[in-house]
Amino acid sequence: MLSIENITKIYHQGMITEMKLFDRFSLTVGDGQFVSVVGSNGSGKTSLLNIICGSIPIESGDVKLDGRSIARIKDYKRYATMGRVYQNPALGTCPNMTMLENMSLADNKGKPFGLSRGVNKKKIDVYREQLAALGLGLEDKLHVKMGNLSGGQRQAVALLMATMTPLRFLILDEHTAALDPKTAEIIMELTDKVVREKGLTAIMVTHNLRYAVEYGNRLLMLNRGKIVMDLEGEEKQKASIDSIMEVFNRISIE
């Protein structure tokens, strides 16, 4: 279980542009939940993900994993149990390295590299099978540089790479926003498949209200660092795009 307890986050502290985004903000995410997070720009969506991952500090409060504080643990150490897929398909992968080299790096996350070869040729067939499961024909492009793939292909590989090692949490930071509608649908279907098959706890920030309604088992709406909507279970199943949009428009006007 992930617990965010009474955190306070202040940007530009002590300056004329000082802004307190979170003020004693709390949130608990249970194991196995797939949480969609929506809200307008500046509502705190991405900041929330960065705080969970340890990318930005907090002024006070705590972040706990199974009751153990991780607030002072560096981000790269948190990624031992977390995978993250970013909005920009270019992030999370190395464009000048081949897909095989990228997957080898991801497969060795958290392990000592030493001076051995970076690519284990015995794993090539395994990687090819994993790519074939995506259904995008990528299994025959292992030796193609990542930078030469389309945005959707790179995002699919980034999703696979983020979940290659044993994980508990998958963090999705608007990971379909930079894709065309057809490719975004494919990536969302792959995301749902990966989360269910691996039994992950997932937190997805999205501007697409339909994805927030159709995917996952919990929906949060943030506004100025506060939770203004929290639906799960039967409430989440009954939610509609229109009902979510009504609340979204109302708080935007306010």
Side-chain angles (χ1 to χ4, degrees):
M1 182 173 69
L2 177 69
S3 300
I4 298 169
E5 301 179 356
N6 298 314
I7 64 167
T8 295
K9 175 60 190 173
I10 303 174
Y11 285 102
H12 312 302
Q13 192 167 8
M15 302 174 64
I16 193 171
T17 55
E18 178 175 307
M19 180 190 70
K20 182 182 287 187
L21 178 59
F22 293 118
D23 186 8
R24 299 184 63 80
F25 175 92
S26 296
L27 172 68
T28 298
V29 178
D31 292 340
Q33 286 193 328
F34 184 168
V35 185
S36 298
V37 183
V38 298
S40 59
N41 292 333
S43 61
K45 304 184 303 299
T46 297
S47 290
L48 176 62
L49 297 189
N50 286 332
I51 288 170
I52 292 172
C53 293
S55 302
I56 59 175
I58 52 178
E59 275 59 56
S60 61
D62 206 352
V63 180
K64 293 182 178 179
L65 184 58
D66 294 334
R68 181 176 68 92
S69 177
I70 61 172
R72 297 184 182 278
I73 295 178
K74 297 292 185 181
D75 54 354
Y76 69 90
K77 291 186 177 180
R78 297 192 201 189
Y79 283 126
T81 57
M82 295 180 182
R84 186 169 184 174
V85 184
Y86 297 85
Q87 175 180 343
N88 186 347
L91 297 178
T93 60
C94 300
N96 293 320
M97 297 175 68
T98 66
M99 197 188 317
L100 174 60
E101 292 167 337
N102 272 271
M103 293 181 71
S104 296
L105 284 173
D107 198 14
N108 283 281
K109 186 177 75 171
K111 304 173 186 176
F113 281 84
L115 296 176
S116 60
R117 292 184 178 275
V119 175
N120 183 350
K121 293 184 178 180
K122 295 180 180 179
K123 300 293 289 289
I124 290 179
D125 287 339
V126 175
Y127 298 154
R128 187 172 282 117
E129 289 177 8
Q130 292 174 329
L131 289 168
L134 298 178
L136 298 175
L138 292 171
E139 61 272 19
D140 297 322
K141 297 183 178 181
L142 274 170
H143 298 288
V144 175
K145 288 186 177 182
M146 288 294 296
N148 292 333
L149 299 178
S150 69
Q153 289 174 326
R154 291 183 71 170
Q155 202 67 312
V157 177
L159 177 62
L160 177 60
M161 288 171 57
T163 57
M164 285 180 72
T165 54
L167 292 176
R168 293 191 56 190
F169 295 94
L170 179 61
I171 306 298
L172 304 162
D173 189 359
E174 297 187 50
H175 69 308
T176 63
L179 306 176
D180 64 79
K182 181 179 179 180
T183 305
E185 293 289 341
I186 293 172
I187 296 301
M188 275 307 310
E189 290 173 5
L190 288 174
T191 301
D192 188 54
K193 178 182 177 183
V194 168
V195 171
R196 286 187 288 103
E197 290 183 351
K198 293 182 177 287
L200 301 175
T201 301
I203 303 176
M204 176 181 73
V205 163
T206 180
H207 279 294
N208 190 312
L209 297 184
R210 181 170 66 82
Y211 291 164
V213 169
E214 292 183 1
Y215 293 95
N217 49 29
R218 186 176 178 186
L219 190 155
L220 294 179
M221 184 181 292
L222 298 183
N223 182 48
R224 299 177 183 176
K226 294 181 174 60
I227 297 174
V228 295
M229 177 184 288
D230 187 354
L231 306 178
E232 56 183 308
E234 189 174 344
E235 276 190 313
K236 170 66 167 60
Q237 293 176 2
K238 292 181 178 179
S240 67
I241 299 175
D242 289 340
S243 64
I244 304 301
M245 180 64 78
E246 182 183 352
V247 178
F248 187 89
N249 289 335
R250 186 171 68 246
I251 63 174
S252 296
I253 294 173
E254 293 174 353

